């Protein structure tokens, strides 16, 4: 899975890129050097970021971060945390990755702040097909609400908005809407903000516009009413 990382160290958002082995945030536009491949170990809560030069992002001496790592090096492993759709990366030393004034990426902070938060954008995916514990997410002629136990999925078009936030567009061009009960309908007139949080190589959670995680319910109705991430909140995509 390929994606771009975006940070806001100053007044404007910039994309994180790799040049040779340096990793920095200096471009307001996506380029091939802004692409990172997300690799996750199913048996451990760690991830690796493979840069455009073919090497992996790694923490080096004096808290520097370089794109010169090899896949078996422990220094290339990072713990992923989420804050409302924004990524926080923690190195093996316990330090959090962030952008300093020069634009360089370093592992310096012991407590994450705004400079340690990154937005991400899928680089090779413009839609989602979600499968949960009871089936696919989709619509049914028998229900006016979105269902989560379908045999056939609906295609959800992803419209990137800002850091970590997407609009969900249904088939036909309308948008996902949410009711006061945390249920969904696919014919909204206005785009709402959904936060996508990656939980594995092909797993994610969705933070809905009401501030709750979207989950599958045994009844078959798709709901957004969970404060915590449970098994019903994990979606395969």
């Amino acid at each position: 899975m390929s994606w771009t990382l975006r940070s806001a160290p100053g007044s404007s958002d910039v994309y994180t890129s790799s040049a040779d082995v340096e990793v920095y945030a200096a471009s307001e536009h996506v380029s091939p050097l802004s692409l990172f491949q997300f690799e996750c170990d199913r048996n451990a809560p760690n991830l690796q970021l493979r840069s455009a030069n073919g090497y992996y992002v790694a923490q080096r001496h004096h808290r520097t971060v370089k794109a010169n790592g090899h896949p078996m090096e422990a220094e290339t492993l990072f713990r992923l945390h989420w804050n409302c759709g924004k990524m926080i990366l923690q190195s093996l030393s316990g330090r959090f990755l962030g952008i300093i004034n020069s634009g360089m990426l370093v592992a310096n902070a012991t407590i994450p702040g705004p400079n340690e938060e990154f937005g991400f954008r899928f680089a090779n995916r413009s839609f989602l097909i979600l499968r949960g514990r009871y089936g696919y997410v989709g619509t049914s002629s028998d229900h006016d609400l979105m269902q989560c136990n379908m045999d056939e999925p609906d295609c959800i078009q992803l419209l990137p908005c800002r850091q970590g936030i997407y609009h969900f567009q249904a088939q036909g061009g309308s948008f996902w809407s949410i009711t006061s009960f945390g249920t969904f309908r696919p014919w909204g007139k206005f785009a709402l903000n959904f936060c996508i949080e990656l939980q594995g190589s092909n797993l994610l959670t969705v933070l809905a516009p009401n501030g709750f995680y979207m989950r599958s319910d045994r009844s078959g109705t798709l709901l957004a009413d969970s404060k915590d991430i449970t098994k019903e909140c994990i979606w395969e995509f």
Side-chain angles (χ1 to χ4, degrees):
M1 182 198 317
S2 296
W3 55 350
T4 61
L5 290 176
R6 199 176 187 185
S7 182
S11 58
S12 59
D13 293 346
V14 289
Y15 287 94
T16 303
S17 305
S18 60
D20 293 328
V21 298
E22 303 293 339
V23 185
Y24 59 94
S27 175
E28 296 182 2
H29 305 285
V30 177
S31 72
L33 295 178
S34 305
L35 298 179
F36 294 85
Q37 183 170 316
F38 174 94
E39 299 181 7
C40 184
D41 186 350
R42 288 181 175 269
N43 300 316
N46 298 317
L47 68 83
Q48 292 176 302
L49 295 175
R50 188 176 183 180
S51 69
N53 66 5
Y55 291 94
Y56 290 80
V57 175
Q59 182 186 350
R60 296 309 188 196
H61 299 296
H62 306 297
R63 303 173 187 171
T64 59
V65 175
K66 304 286 187 180
N68 62 356
H70 297 276
M72 299 304 294
E73 287 187 88
E75 290 79 8
T76 65
L77 298 175
F78 297 92
R79 180 70 61 90
L80 175 61
H81 306 272
W82 288 100
N83 180 25
C84 297
K86 295 181 180 179
M87 299 172 51
I88 299 172
L89 297 172
Q90 188 176 20
S91 68
L92 198 65
S93 68
R95 301 274 177 170
F96 294 92
L97 272 61
I99 303 297
I100 59 177
N101 292 335
S102 65
M104 300 302 297
L105 183 68
V106 298
N108 190 47
T110 56
I111 299 175
N115 285 348
E116 285 71 49
E117 293 182 343
F118 297 87
F120 88 96
R121 179 178 295 183
F122 288 115
N124 57 354
R125 186 179 296 270
S126 60
F127 66 91
L128 284 180
I129 290 176
L130 298 179
R131 185 172 68 175
R133 196 169 188 182
Y134 306 110
Y136 288 103
V137 171
T139 53
S140 168
S141 58
D142 299 327
H143 302 87
D144 66 342
L145 300 174
M146 298 290 295
Q147 301 295 297
C148 59
N149 61 351
M150 305 297 294
D151 293 329
E152 298 291 335
D154 280 8
C155 181
I156 306 167
Q157 294 296 325
L158 293 177
L159 304 181
C161 178
R162 57 182 187 272
Q163 292 191 45
I165 295 177
Y166 282 87
H167 299 323
F168 283 10
Q169 190 173 39
Q171 296 173 349
S174 58
F175 295 97
W176 277 36
S177 64
I178 188 169
T179 72
S180 58
F181 300 102
T183 55
F184 296 93
R185 291 190 173 98
W187 51 72
K189 294 182 179 180
F190 304 102
L192 301 179
N193 294 336
F194 291 83
C195 295
I196 295 177
E197 300 180 354
L198 298 174
Q199 304 295 337
S201 58
N202 66 330
L203 302 174
L204 58 79
T205 52
V206 177
L207 193 62
N210 63 356
F212 292 94
Y213 283 99
M214 195 170 76
R215 70 173 180 89
S216 56
D217 189 73
R218 191 180 298 273
S219 68
T221 302
L222 183 66
L223 292 171
D225 62 357
S226 181
K227 292 183 178 180
D228 301 314
I229 297 175
T230 65
K231 291 181 179 179
E232 286 78 14
C233 299
I234 302 294
W235 302 96
E236 183 179 347
F237 71 100

